[in-house]
């Protein structure tokens, strides 16, 4: 269980050699946080490119946790969760930029839907093209299909990736990728922390599955968007 909330929102962002991205990400958050009481927690996974120093010098109000080496996504996000003070927790990738009204509107959605544990926005690339960020649960069979040559595996995976769905209305889905999620503290306290045995993926799939098993819905809300550059951290 994480501590009792004293703020509306805690935003947890991981960095790893992301100096070229972190300012854009943080400035988009700060610009679009509106009147929400908040804290921003950066967990730096052993950067060697001056990322942590940039954060320290240019964003002094941000909570910075520094690891000596890359501890993986689940471990680092749990570090942020353990010190977070928000009623809601936002996981945001450093290669993302928040657009106006997205944060406040998604929190408002969770305020209104008592059964929703996680909500995620539409993700779009810099070219404004849709990214398929909500999906059905993967299977062993689908993992094998991804290795098939000549695009055959990708075509067979269309159903799992929800490629035939227009992504134009709110939907309860199996899982949302972890690039941008807002989660209720109540749900986290019930479900627990992320599984630290997973270094990089599929911790987001696992966590959404655990949410569903605990009775919480995982919601894709395409009415609000985040730009996602899809850099690996």
């Amino acid at each position: 269980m994480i501590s009792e909330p004293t703020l509306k929102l805690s935003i947890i962002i991981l960095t790893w050699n992301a100096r070229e991205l972190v300012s854009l990400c943080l400035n988009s958050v700060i610009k679009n946080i509106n009147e929400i009481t908040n804290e921003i927690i950066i967990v730096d996974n052993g950067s060697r490119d001056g990322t942590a120093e940039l954060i320290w010098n240019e964003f002094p109000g941000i909570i910075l946790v520094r690891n000596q080496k890359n501890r993986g996504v689940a471990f680092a996000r749990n570090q942020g969760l353990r010190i977070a003070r928000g009623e809601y927790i936002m996981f945001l990738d450093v290669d993302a930029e928040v657009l106006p009204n997205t944060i406040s509107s998604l929190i408002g959605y969770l305020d209104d839907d008592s059964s929703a544990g996680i909500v995620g926005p539409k993700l779009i690339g810099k070219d404004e093209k849709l990214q398929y960020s909500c999906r059905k649960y993967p299977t062993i069979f689908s993992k094998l299909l991804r290795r098939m040559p000549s695009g055959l595996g990708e075509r067979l995976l269309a159903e799992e990736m929800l490629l035939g769905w227009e992504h134009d209305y709110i939907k309860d889905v199996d899982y949302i990728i972890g690039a941008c999620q807002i989660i209720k503290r109540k749900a986290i306290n019930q479900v627990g922390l992320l599984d630290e045995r997973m270094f990089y993926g599929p911790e987001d799939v696992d966590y959404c599955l655990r949410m569903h098993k605990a009775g919480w819905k995982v919601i894709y809300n395409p009415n609000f968007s985040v730009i996602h550059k899809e850099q690996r951290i």
Side-chain angles (χ1 to χ4, degrees):
M1 180 179 293
I2 56 179
S3 59
E4 288 301 312
T6 57
L7 301 169
K8 188 69 172 179
L9 177 67
S10 297
I11 301 169
I12 299 173
I13 302 170
L14 309 190
T15 57
W16 181 64
N17 294 330
R19 184 182 174 88
E20 300 302 316
L21 296 168
V22 68
S23 291
L24 289 173
C25 178
L26 289 174
N27 283 323
S28 77
V29 170
I30 294 167
K31 179 180 178 181
N32 294 300
I33 200 66
N34 300 331
E35 300 301 318
I36 301 168
T37 58
N38 72 92
E39 64 184 352
I40 302 173
I41 301 169
I42 299 283
V43 183
D44 184 74
N45 258 336
S47 293
R48 297 291 183 266
D49 67 342
T51 296
E53 288 76 15
L54 181 150
I55 295 166
W56 186 266
N57 292 324
E58 296 189 13
F59 300 93
I62 286 174
I63 300 167
L64 177 62
V65 178
R66 300 187 68 176
N67 292 327
Q68 293 302 307
K69 64 179 182 178
N70 192 338
R71 304 299 301 269
V73 174
F75 185 95
R77 283 184 168 167
N78 283 346
Q79 286 179 288
L81 282 172
R82 289 187 177 99
I83 62 174
R85 297 175 293 153
E87 178 185 354
Y88 293 100
I89 308 297
M90 182 177 188
F91 290 144
L92 184 68
D93 278 1
V94 72
D95 55 0
E97 293 180 45
V98 176
L99 296 178
N101 300 317
T102 292
I103 295 175
S104 58
S105 297
L106 293 178
I107 288 176
Y109 182 90
L110 288 176
D111 278 337
D112 293 338
D113 188 343
S114 61
S115 63
I118 300 178
V119 65
K122 177 190 292 184
L123 298 185
I124 56 175
K126 291 177 66 177
D127 56 5
E128 298 187 357
K129 289 184 178 179
L130 173 72
Q131 296 178 1
Y132 295 97
S133 57
C134 59
R135 304 167 186 174
K136 293 184 177 181
Y137 294 126
T139 65
I140 294 176
F141 182 62
S142 66
K143 292 296 183 183
L144 294 173
L145 289 176
R146 292 180 188 277
R147 300 180 179 273
M148 296 181 69
S150 305
L152 177 59
E154 183 175 343
R155 291 194 296 272
L156 294 173
L157 285 167
E159 182 178 355
E160 179 185 307
M161 299 285 290
L162 301 178
L163 301 186
W165 176 49
E166 293 297 328
H167 291 70
D168 57 358
Y169 60 87
I170 295 171
K171 183 178 178 66
D172 183 3
V173 297
D174 283 358
Y175 79 97
I176 299 166
I177 67 170
C180 182
Q181 300 174 338
I182 300 183
I183 312 173
K184 284 179 179 172
R185 176 182 291 267
K186 288 181 181 178
I188 294 172
N189 285 342
Q190 181 178 350
V191 173
L193 300 177
L194 299 168
D195 188 339
E196 296 179 3
R197 294 172 297 180
M198 302 177 186
F199 184 86
Y200 183 91
E203 80 290 330
D204 47 6
V205 184
D206 174 72
Y207 206 63
C208 289
L209 176 61
R210 288 162 59 195
M211 283 283 171
H212 278 298
K213 287 184 174 181
W216 296 96
K217 293 190 298 187
V218 175
I219 300 296
Y220 173 77
N221 189 330
N223 296 329
F224 308 97
S225 300
V226 164
I227 298 171
H228 183 223
K229 306 178 191 72
E230 292 192 288
Q231 300 288 324
R232 290 182 177 269
I233 62 171

